[in-house]
Amino acid sequence: MKRRHARYPFLDAAKEAVEREGVDIAAVIIDDSTGPNPVVERATERVVTAIHEGHVGDAYRRDRVELVSYPVARALVSALDRDALTARYAAAEAATARERFAADFDPDVVTDVDLSLDAFLSEFGLDGDVSETNADDADFDISVGPYLELAGGIEGREWALVNRRLADGTVPVSRAELDAVLEQAVRRRVVEGLPLAVPDPIVDALAASIQTVERELADYSPRRDIDSVVPGLFPPCMVALLDRVREGEDLPERSAFVLTSFLTSIGLSPEDASDLAGLAGDELDPFPEAYPPPNCETMAEQGDCVNKDVRCESVPTPLAYYEDALDDAGEVGDWRER
């Protein structure tokens, strides 16, 4: 196993290294030795740190433990099988990867990782879609298709195609912006296949870690920058979901997650959210797991992107829509002060 496998455990070569060395992930988890299991401990740390800090923590001192902790962390996340946790974990693995490759791909930094930007692009099928440019205000050009696919997951109006310069089917980006796009590619790779089917013996062996993660989830309180609740400025997709709830429909689990994560992200308590939805008591689920809702592309894939208006064309996420609407509205009254 090489150091780059431990630093980037989602790479195909990392998976092949584990298989080549005959590592039995199930046997690693179901370890009947009396001492602590460093792989399970590191896997648990990956997930807990992801919840609270948005990255997966410092790498373990032994590359083998660091690498094998990645599939074990995926098994742990799968055993819990909660959309919010899966999204938070995948984002944290991607953020950690970005921090690492921002340094590893820097030509002015000497590393022993032996991984180039070209090889990384090839890993995600982007080698034919990203090229260096001599433009004064950009470092790379990205083909518009992959740009739309990946940048759609990044918050901020500046990422909307309508706000970018488009030339010959490509979008110019800086090196930092390319890193942000690659972070989204990693996030998609990590979330791919989750949740896994986890056999009962492995769930039993991870019982203590599962309890730890559940406790940390219950204690997690996300940062909220939005402090005004103005239903009239909600994006059409959220208005539609609220209307469905008010009409008595039992939303599918993923749609319920989208709605509650949006309402929580803008600062509503479970009681206020239920009140807004016309429900009696705390009936909106899943609370209190508060994570940003999916981006607009994901919303469209699951059928919840409806009634699009002009603003929808220039924002990547429901939260970005709402933030943009608040900015344009100026001083507004808060629904909670009704």
Side-chain angles (χ1 to χ4, degrees), residues 111-229:
T111 73
D112 59 353
V113 176
D114 188 28
L115 181 66
S116 67
L117 173 59
D118 287 343
F120 203 82
L121 291 170
S122 180
E123 172 80 18
F124 294 97
L126 296 170
D127 45 327
D129 294 301
V130 178
S131 59
E132 292 190 46
T133 180
N134 294 321
D136 293 335
D137 58 347
D139 301 305
F140 298 90
D141 286 329
I142 305 179
S143 297
V144 66
Y147 176 86
L148 287 171
E149 181 180 1
L150 296 171
I154 307 175
E155 285 195 23
R157 284 175 288 173
E158 68 273 16
W159 290 97
L161 190 60
V162 69
N163 296 323
R164 308 294 300 199
R165 180 161 56 87
L166 182 63
D168 298 324
T170 65
V171 181
V173 296
S174 67
R175 168 59 203 279
E177 289 174 328
L178 177 62
D179 287 350
V181 170
L182 291 178
E183 179 181 354
Q184 293 304 308
V186 174
R187 181 187 61 78
R188 288 184 168 214
R189 171 70 62 86
V190 174
V191 83
E192 197 172 78
L194 294 179
L196 308 168
V198 184
D200 289 341
I202 292 180
V203 173
D204 293 341
L206 290 174
S209 293
I210 290 172
Q211 290 179 357
T212 296
V213 173
E214 286 183 322
R215 184 171 60 251
E216 297 300 326
L217 272 174
D219 291 341
Y220 174 65
S221 179
R223 177 179 59 86
R224 297 180 181 129
D225 293 326
I226 302 173
D227 57 7
S228 296
V229 178

Side-chain angles (χ1 to χ4, degrees), residues 1-3 5-7 36-39 42 46 58-69:
M1 296 179 182
K2 298 182 179 180
R3 186 161 180 258
H5 299 150
R7 280 176 72 78
N37 187 325
V39 173
R42 173 63 182 126
R46 292 184 93 103
D58 296 331
Y60 197 82
R61 63 183 181 278
R62 300 202 321 259
D63 287 344
R64 182 182 185 279
V65 171
E66 180 68 8
L67 172 56
V68 179
S69 73

